[in-house]
Amino acid sequence: MKRLASGAALTAGILAATALAFAPSASAAVTPGSASITASCGLFGGGAATLTATQVSSTSATITLSSTGITTPLALSANSINSTLTMTNSTGANRVFSGTVNPAMPAGGAVTVGPLPGTVAVGDSLDFYKGSLKMVIFGITVTCTSSAAQSPGPFVFS
């Protein structure tokens, strides 16, 4: 009886270890979760901004840009900015995040766009430097660029 119980316990342990070996890996993650940039946006001014990345799956992510230094000269309603954020990718083709997601903003208010959805791949290393944010508002295109790499470093997707 003791031998049967020991054998059953050993079999259960082997099955548990095998299940762990073949279990799916942890959910997708991006590091760092946020980065700082300094952007120049023409008519909208410029200054410090924060990019926040969220990896939704191994093939999709969202990025949000928010800044008190970049301001809107006019009041804007929610979801009225057509935004295209292009991130340079040191491991391949640039990645594009686009959409019309933004909160309502008063004239002179801080700009926030996103979360903007886009496609990513495992190993992508994305930086706003040499990329751009194009915002189309009332038919006018405002382009933001940066003259330095984001800090603490690029978004790396796993």
Side-chain angles (χ1 to χ4, degrees):
M1 188 62 118
K2 231 181 193 183
R3 194 176 263 191
L4 183 60
S6 295
L10 180 60
T11 301
I14 291 170
L15 288 174
T18 302
L20 282 174
F22 290 105
S25 60
S27 62
V30 58
T31 54
S34 65
S36 299
I37 62 168
T38 300
S40 176
C41 301
L43 177 66
F44 275 36
T50 300
L51 294 170
T52 304
T54 302
Q55 190 162 355
V56 178
S57 72
S58 62
T59 59
S60 66
T62 63
I63 297 182
T64 301
L65 179 139
S66 58
S67 173
T68 55
I70 304 167
T71 59
T72 175
L74 304 168
L76 299 173
S77 60
N79 305 320
S80 62
I81 302 174
N82 186 356
S83 302
T84 303
L85 174 64
T86 302
M87 302 286 287
T88 59
N89 183 5
S90 67
T91 63
N94 289 350
R95 299 296 181 188
V96 176
F97 299 81
S98 61
T100 55
V101 180
N102 64 272
M105 294 174 257
V111 168
T112 296
V113 294
L116 304 173
T119 301
V120 296
V122 172
D124 277 356
S125 180
L126 307 183
D127 197 317
F128 185 77
Y129 178 56
K130 296 187 181 178
S132 66
L133 171 64
K134 291 185 181 178
M135 298 177 286
V136 179
I137 305 120
F138 304 124
I140 299 168
T141 300
V142 175
T143 302
C144 298
T145 58
S146 181
S147 59
Q150 65 191 44
S151 177
F155 295 122
V156 178
F157 295 84
S158 59

